[in-house]
């Protein structure tokens, strides 16, 4: 097998590692490309291409993550990961675990960890790397990595969301939600929302945005029902998709340009959180991006 073929075979794994570390599709793709450049220039034959490439992509991602954390501190409004529609790394036996690890809620929880804790957690808990491989990847001793693993696991377990285990039940509830949303059905929306439901959006100062989280089933349902009918009347389309391993939808304008991505957190038969990503910089990998300001003006006129 040629070096290029080895790389292509492992590329889905490399992207999966980088995305979970960075929460950005574009930055993960850049990290994978940088890894290829390093791998192509690597002298000799590695004992394990997987170990070497995983080390390279982890170190590259860590460098990006350290600078990204500074940028996120100055970010306008709440910061959400870039929506991931398709995770190229497939493992049927661990599909549910992988979907959980890439959910918006889990990625936001990972943001609380230090870069090293995050890298160790992802390599160990998500991809089951051994501590010798993890130590090589992050440049720390095995003992230090074991301590980082314990600490990161404790932090994640303290706040880890528990999603509905029954995928069919979860998807059925999401379908009911979007049906009620399309109809502007206030009561139909309210009954699906948890008592402490939150709706939060990420516009990054570059798209219309909720000024603050909307909390509670009555308020959330009212906002959704108010905008749904006028939004659909001007040609906005709602396409149900699995986003970051969870139920969601992509909204398009009448020209089929991406308006935003919406994800649902579901627990105990109710929707716990609704997250909207509207920042155009985070939607470009999904295709042409809509003029969200123009759509917002049209929606207001249609009310």
């Amino acid at each position: 097998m040629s070096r290029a073929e080895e790389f292509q075979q492992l590329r889905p794994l490399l992207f999966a590692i980088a995305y979970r570390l960075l929460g950005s599709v574009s930055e993960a793709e850049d990290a994978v490309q940088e890894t290829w450049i390093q791998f192509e220039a690597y002298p000799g034959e590695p004992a394990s291409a997987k170990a070497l490439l995983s080390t390279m992509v982890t170190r590259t991602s860590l460098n990006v993550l350290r600078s990204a954390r500074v940028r996120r501190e100055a970010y306008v409004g709440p910061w959400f990961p870039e929506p991931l529609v398709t995770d190229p790394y497939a493992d049927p036996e661990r599909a549910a675990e992988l979907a959980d690890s890439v959910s918006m809620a889990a990625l936001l929880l990972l943001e609380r960890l230090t870069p090293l804790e995050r890298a160790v957690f992802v390599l160990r808990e998500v991809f089951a790397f051994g501590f010798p491989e993890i130590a090589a990847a992050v440049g720390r001793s095995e003992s230090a990595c074991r301590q980082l693993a314990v600490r990161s696991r404790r932090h994640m377990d303290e706040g880890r969301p528990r999603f509905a285990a029954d995928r069919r039940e979860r998807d059925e509830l999401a379908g009911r939600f979007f049906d009620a949303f399309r109809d502007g059905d206030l009561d139909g929306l309210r009954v699906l929302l948890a008592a402490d439901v939150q709706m939060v959006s990420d516009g990054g100062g570059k798209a219309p945005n909720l000024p603050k989280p909307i909390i509670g089933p009555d308020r959330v349902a009212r906002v959704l029902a108010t905008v749904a009918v006028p939004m659909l009347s001007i040609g906005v389309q709602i396409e149900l998709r699995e986003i970051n391993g969870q139920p969601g939808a992509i909204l398009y304008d009448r020209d089929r340009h991406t308006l935003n991505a919406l994800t649902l957190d579901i627990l105990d038969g109710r929707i716990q959180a609704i997250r909207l990503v509207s920042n155009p910089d985070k939607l470009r990998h999904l295709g042409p991006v809509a003029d969200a300001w123009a759509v917002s003006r049209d929606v207001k006129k249609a009310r």
Side-chain angles (χ1 to χ4, degrees), residues 16-18 20-22 54-55 57-63 65-66 69 110-131 133-140 145 148-149 152-153 156:
I17 292 171
R20 285 163 174 81
L21 289 177
L22 298 170
S54 298
T55 293
V57 80
T58 297
R59 290 183 176 180
T60 298
S61 298
L62 278 172
N63 289 335
L65 181 59
R66 291 183 179 109
R69 287 169 71 90
L110 281 169
E111 285 289 309
R112 303 180 188 178
L113 306 182
T114 68
L116 278 177
E117 287 174 341
R118 185 166 182 163
V120 170
F121 182 87
V122 166
L123 292 175
R124 181 64 180 173
E125 299 298 324
V126 179
F127 297 105
F129 278 71
F131 281 108
E133 296 169 299
I134 296 172
V138 302
R140 295 291 189 275
C145 288
L148 286 165
S152 62
R153 192 184 306 117
M156 292 296 287

Side-chain angles (χ1 to χ4, degrees), residues 48-84:
S48 166
K50 178 183 176 182
L52 177 62
L53 286 166
S54 298
T55 293
M56 288 176 169
V57 80
T58 297
R59 290 183 176 180
T60 298
S61 298
L62 278 172
N63 289 335
V64 176
L65 181 59
R66 291 183 179 109
S67 61
R69 287 169 71 90
V70 175
R71 295 197 303 273
R72 288 170 195 173
E73 288 174 1
Y75 192 80
V76 177
W79 180 91
F80 290 159
E82 289 183 10
L84 182 67

Side-chain angles (χ1 to χ4, degrees), residues 184-290:
D185 180 356
L186 181 62
D187 292 333
L189 286 166
R190 187 189 292 118
V191 74
L192 300 174
L193 304 175
D196 56 351
V197 64
Q198 293 191 32
M199 184 163 69
V200 189
S201 63
D202 171 2
K206 299 183 178 184
N209 200 40
L210 298 173
K212 60 183 180 179
I214 298 173
I215 301 173
D218 292 333
R219 295 184 64 202
V220 170
R222 193 177 305 113
V223 170
L224 291 170
T226 299
V227 301
V229 173
M231 190 171 66
L232 294 176
S233 74
I234 64 166
V236 171
Q237 306 162 52
I238 304 172
E239 182 177 293
L240 272 61
R241 299 289 295 271
E242 184 173 272
I243 300 175
N244 287 80
Q246 303 299 322
I250 298 176
L251 276 65
Y252 300 95
D253 71 3
R254 63 168 65 91
D255 298 317
R256 195 65 181 177
H257 293 171
T258 306
L259 183 60
N260 56 46
L262 182 155
T263 63
L264 305 175
D265 288 355
I266 296 174
L267 177 68
D268 296 333
R270 292 288 184 274
I271 295 167
Q272 305 288 322
I274 302 169
R275 296 187 176 90
L276 289 153
V277 178
S278 303
N279 185 337
D281 295 341
K282 297 185 178 185
L283 301 173
R284 299 193 194 285
H285 64 285
L286 300 176
V289 179

Side-chain angles (χ1 to χ4, degrees), residues 6 97 105 156 165 167 188 245 287:
E6 282 186 304
E97 295 173 61
M156 292 296 287
R167 188 185 190 91

Side-chain angles (χ1 to χ4, degrees), residues 3 33-43 56-57 60:
R3 185 162 289 193
Q33 183 58 34
E34 175 62 26
T35 299
W36 163 245
I37 294 171
Q38 295 175 22
F39 187 54
E40 190 178 29
Y42 185 79
M56 288 176 169
V57 80
T60 298

